[in-house]
Amino acid sequence: MSVNALVSKIREKNNPTVAGLDARLEYIPDHITEKYVAEYGKTLKAAAASMMEFNKGLIDALCDIVPAIKPQAAYYELLGPEGAIVLRDTIAYAHEKGMYVIADIKRNDIGATATAYAQAYLGRSEVCGESLPVYDSDSCTVNAYLGTDGINPFLTECKNRDKGIYVLVKTSNKSSGEFQNRLMGDQPLYVRMAEKVAEWGEDLMTECGYSQVGAVVGATYPEEQKIIRKIIPHSYFLVPGYGAQGATAKDIANAFNDDGLGAIVNSSRGIMCAWKKCDLDYQEAARQEAIRMRDDIVSAIR
Amino acid sequence: MSVNALVSKIREKNNPTVAGLDARLEYIPDHITEKYVAEYGKTLKAAAASMMEFNKGLIDALCDIVPAIKPQAAYYELLGPEGAIVLRDTIAYAHEKGMYVIADIKRNDIGATATAYAQAYLGRSEVCGESLPVYDSDSCTVNAYLGTDGINPFLTECKNRDKGIYVLVKTSNKSSGEFQNRLMGDQPLYVRMAEKVAEWGEDLMTECGYSQVGAVVGATYPEEQKIIRKIIPHSYFLVPGYGAQGATAKDIANAFNDDGLGAIVNSSRGIMCAWKKCDLDYQEAARQEAIRMRDDIVSAIR
């Protein structure tokens, strides 16, 4: 599924947001976890089974109003191989329900190894001439500290399979400026990174006017967002940091182009833990919060 | 297992090298793959079972002469959840055989998420009060584009569990200079990164005179190695690029301190594919190549 498909879904649902699915046990209502702990004991298998039920429930509750999900790989890896199964099956389930999937993996390596990552998350695995899907996401996040030859294998998958990447440009965390905002010549590193994103994305433009090569730009840095928006007008921004990390809809307005497109805003904890702040069950609470977030953001970018 | 234990093993075996275990199907002799394809078909399960047998055979052949292994996560991920099982079990098997393990994962994320990665690879997973091992490596590689708050969670695991990290400073690939060698003020980015590594490693010094915080410095850039060696004399270098990537033992000499310590040199393809270049079985071929590599490097750093 390409950035074109994402844009269609965003337009159709009038909702430029993505539900982050962090596989954190403390986000799951007790009645789910208790059921699987009773069956499998206090094991990674019980944690994984709980997560799978919770993810499916969230996807069911959100799929008609939210265009995309973003599973965060770290939390699945923390559940070991059982977590890898949940990651794979969550992506497949979201696809069944028509959602676009961003695998938040922030991978990076030298060319040959980057090829393996690109094939694992966007492409296919070759076993004795048989071509098999693995995690089969629509897009993933990547880190480009290693330069172009660690990115090229991802671009190949984008081209051959109509997939996308989001390159870390300016991250949402407090210390992101330590390297990203230091001057490299007369411009900060994040600007140099954005310039490369423009280059990498040039040959991967799609009908909707956006490239398959996007950027991760934290909601917590509205000034940098404005600068990056100008350097890469044709790249989609994946914007973390809304809600739990402190950014408001107003902070995010700079990430969008005048066409009201160009960015997709993530919320993980806000949606997953909405049930903790009200009397609704977790599905209805997640849905209400997703609607509130949609309206909040749509009103800020008008 | 700390960097202290690694140094003891290096001294005991007089061998500052690490066997890279890339789970690539094309590296495995046909008779192994054919057996599992006959059993499971052309599936990821067959690929994973082949890899597990091959890895065990390599570890058996190398464990008395080589101090460490470095599984490259990308190739295990390319085999999906079945590959995650092979990664976990390969690490456990290497530990049974007394080897030090470097999980080559190059992970990075914001603080909370970096905590999940640090716990998955160096620490433990908490399930309803039960503390469970996951991949349980001795050390891992990390990318620090996000700055200190993406590194801190790894430092916590290093401190609490006597583990180590290797921060990407100057990578071995061709385009590594694109960002890493660009000037940030009056010094290139890789120098700025090395300065941070010094800072992060300060509180994690061990008896052997080296910190738990090491650096990845490619064998393919001997000049940069010399500069980085001076900035972080107390950090262990993980040195990729020997052999298949073109660097020779002479290129690597700069990575070592005068005590003959301070670096561990990786070879993956050279050892894993040694059987393709001779009439020996894969185990004996890997062993011969590991001995040749050891002698080559030891003679260059004398």
Side-chain angles (χ1 to χ4, degrees):
Chain A
M1 222 186 281
S2 77
V3 69
N4 252 336
L6 172 63
V7 166
S8 299
K9 284 177 199 302
I10 288 173
R11 280 193 165 127
E12 181 192 306
K13 300 185 188 339
N14 188 30
N15 189 354
T17 72
V18 48
L21 296 185
D22 298 354
R24 300 185 70 160
L25 223 47
E26 62 268 37
Y27 290 177
I28 306 177
D30 287 345
H31 71 272
I32 297 178
T33 319
E34 280 162 8
K35 185 170 65 185
Y36 293 105
V37 166
E39 193 170 349
Y40 302 121
K42 293 177 181 176
T43 59
L44 296 176
K45 189 174 177 132
S50 306
M51 200 62 227
M52 194 66 226
E53 177 174 331
F54 187 51
N55 278 354
K56 277 187 165 177
L58 288 169
I59 290 168
D60 287 341
L62 300 173
C63 64
D64 64 326
I65 49 168
V66 178
I69 60 157
K70 180 181 78 65
Q72 167 51 258
Y75 297 108
Y76 296 84
E77 288 171 44
L78 186 52
L79 304 181
E82 302 280 355
I85 295 172
V86 180
L87 177 61
R88 181 194 65 194
D89 294 351
T90 296
I91 294 171
Y93 192 73
H95 280 158
E96 266 178 50
K97 299 290 172 172
M99 298 178 98
Y100 175 88
V101 179
I102 304 168
D104 196 356
I105 56 173
K106 296 186 176 65
R107 296 301 196 262
N108 64 113
D109 215 297
I110 65 168
T113 309
T115 300
Y117 280 132
Q119 291 174 344
Y121 292 95
L122 304 180
R124 289 180 159 245
S125 198
E126 294 289 325
V127 177
C128 306
E130 203 68 38
S131 169
L132 305 164
V134 189
Y135 292 102
D136 207 17
S137 182
D138 302 304
S139 61
C140 66
T141 55
V142 297
N143 179 317
Y145 184 73
L146 282 78
T148 299
D149 52 40
I151 297 298
N152 276 336
F154 288 95
L155 301 183
T156 301
E157 296 303 325
C158 290
K159 197 164 195 168
N160 295 343
R161 297 182 186 277
D162 235 10
K163 305 251 174 154
I165 55 170
Y166 299 88
V167 180
L168 300 186
V169 172
K170 174 65 187 167
T171 57
S172 63
N173 59 312
K174 269 192 189 167
S175 71
S176 79
E178 241 173 62
F179 295 109
Q180 296 164 28
N181 282 53
R182 276 187 87 162
L183 289 179
M184 214 170 223
D186 57 351
Q187 293 292 339
L189 171 56
Y190 77 80
V191 167
R192 299 300 181 206
M193 192 58 82
E195 290 167 353
K196 276 286 170 195
V197 168
E199 212 181 295
W200 294 325
E202 252 174 26
D203 291 341
L204 286 159
M205 288 298 298
T206 69
E207 280 171 41
C208 65
Y210 289 95
S211 169
Q212 304 280 25
V213 180
V216 175
V217 185
T220 42
Y221 296 104
E223 280 312 304
E224 284 86 342
Q225 258 183 8
K226 204 189 289 183
I227 294 166
I228 300 167
R229 187 68 286 173
K230 282 186 191 150
I231 303 170
I232 41 174
H234 302 296
S235 281
Y236 238 81
F237 284 12
L238 170 61
V239 183
Y242 174 83
Q245 284 182 57
T248 65
K250 216 184 115 202
D251 294 327
I252 284 161
N254 289 340
F256 289 84
N257 281 317
D258 293 340
D259 58 4
L261 292 170
I264 185 158
V265 182
N266 180 73
S267 169
S268 305
R269 214 182 319 168
I271 289 174
M272 299 180 81
C273 296
W275 63 272
K276 294 188 178 187
K277 295 186 178 171
C278 62
D279 290 331
L280 301 169
D281 71 50
Y282 81 91
Q283 289 182 292
E284 192 50 35
R287 192 178 167 85
Q288 292 301 330
E289 169 58 17
I291 289 170
R292 192 207 58 75
M293 180 190 176
R294 176 196 70 192
D295 295 344
D296 186 35
I297 287 169
V298 167
S299 72
I301 60 174
R302 251 189 211 128
Chain B
M1 224 186 282
S2 77
V3 68
N4 252 335
L6 172 64
V7 166
S8 299
K9 284 177 200 300
I10 288 173
R11 282 194 163 126
E12 180 192 306
K13 301 187 189 334
N14 188 29
N15 189 354
T17 73
V18 49
L21 297 185
D22 298 354
R24 300 185 69 160
L25 223 48
E26 62 268 36
Y27 291 178
I28 306 177
D30 287 345
H31 72 271
I32 296 176
T33 319
E34 280 161 8
K35 186 170 63 184
Y36 293 106
V37 165
E39 195 171 346
Y40 302 120
K42 293 176 180 176
T43 59
L44 297 177
K45 189 176 178 131
S50 306
M51 200 63 227
M52 194 65 227
E53 178 175 331
F54 188 50
N55 277 355
K56 277 187 165 178
L58 289 169
I59 289 168
D60 287 341
L62 299 172
C63 64
D64 64 326
I65 50 168
V66 177
I69 60 158
K70 180 181 78 65
Q72 168 51 258
Y75 297 107
Y76 295 83
E77 288 171 43
L78 186 52
L79 304 180
E82 301 280 355
I85 295 172
V86 179
L87 177 60
R88 181 195 64 193
D89 293 352
T90 296
I91 293 171
Y93 192 72
H95 280 157
E96 266 179 48
K97 298 291 172 170
M99 298 178 97
Y100 176 88
V101 179
I102 304 169
D104 196 356
I105 56 173
K106 297 187 175 65
R107 295 301 196 264
N108 64 113
D109 215 298
I110 64 169
T113 309
T115 300
Y117 280 132
Q119 290 174 343
Y121 292 96
L122 304 180
R124 290 180 158 244
S125 199
E126 294 289 326
V127 177
C128 307
E130 203 68 39
S131 168
L132 305 164
V134 188
Y135 292 101
D136 207 17
S137 181
D138 302 304
S139 62
C140 66
T141 56
V142 296
N143 179 318
Y145 184 73
L146 282 79
T148 299
D149 52 40
I151 297 299
N152 276 337
F154 289 95
L155 301 183
T156 300
E157 296 303 326
C158 290
K159 197 162 196 171
N160 294 344
R161 298 183 186 276
D162 235 10
K163 305 252 173 152
I165 55 169
Y166 298 88
V167 180
L168 300 186
V169 173
K170 173 66 188 167
T171 58
S172 62
N173 59 312
K174 270 193 188 165
S175 70
S176 78
E178 243 172 61
F179 295 108
Q180 296 163 29
N181 282 52
R182 278 187 86 162
L183 289 179
M184 214 168 224
D186 57 352
Q187 293 293 340
L189 171 55
Y190 76 82
V191 167
R192 299 300 180 204
M193 193 58 81
E195 290 167 353
K196 277 285 171 195
V197 169
E199 213 180 295
W200 294 326
E202 252 175 25
D203 290 340
L204 287 159
M205 289 297 297
T206 68
E207 279 171 42
C208 66
Y210 289 94
S211 169
Q212 303 281 25
V213 181
V216 175
V217 185
T220 42
Y221 297 104
E223 281 312 304
E224 283 86 341
Q225 258 181 10
K226 205 189 288 183
I227 294 166
I228 300 166
R229 187 68 286 173
K230 281 186 190 149
I231 303 171
I232 40 174
H234 302 296
S235 281
Y236 238 81
F237 284 12
L238 169 61
V239 183
Y242 174 83
Q245 284 181 56
T248 65
K250 218 184 114 203
D251 294 327
I252 285 162
N254 289 340
F256 290 83
N257 281 318
D258 293 339
D259 58 4
L261 293 170
I264 185 157
V265 182
N266 180 72
S267 169
S268 306
R269 214 182 319 168
I271 290 175
M272 299 180 82
C273 297
W275 62 272
K276 294 189 178 185
K277 295 185 177 171
C278 63
D279 291 331
L280 301 170
D281 71 50
Y282 81 91
Q283 290 182 292
E284 191 51 33
R287 191 177 168 87
Q288 293 300 328
E289 169 58 18
I291 290 170
R292 192 206 59 73
M293 180 190 175
R294 174 196 70 192
D295 295 345
D296 186 35
I297 286 167
V298 166
S299 72
I301 59 174
R302 247 184 215 132

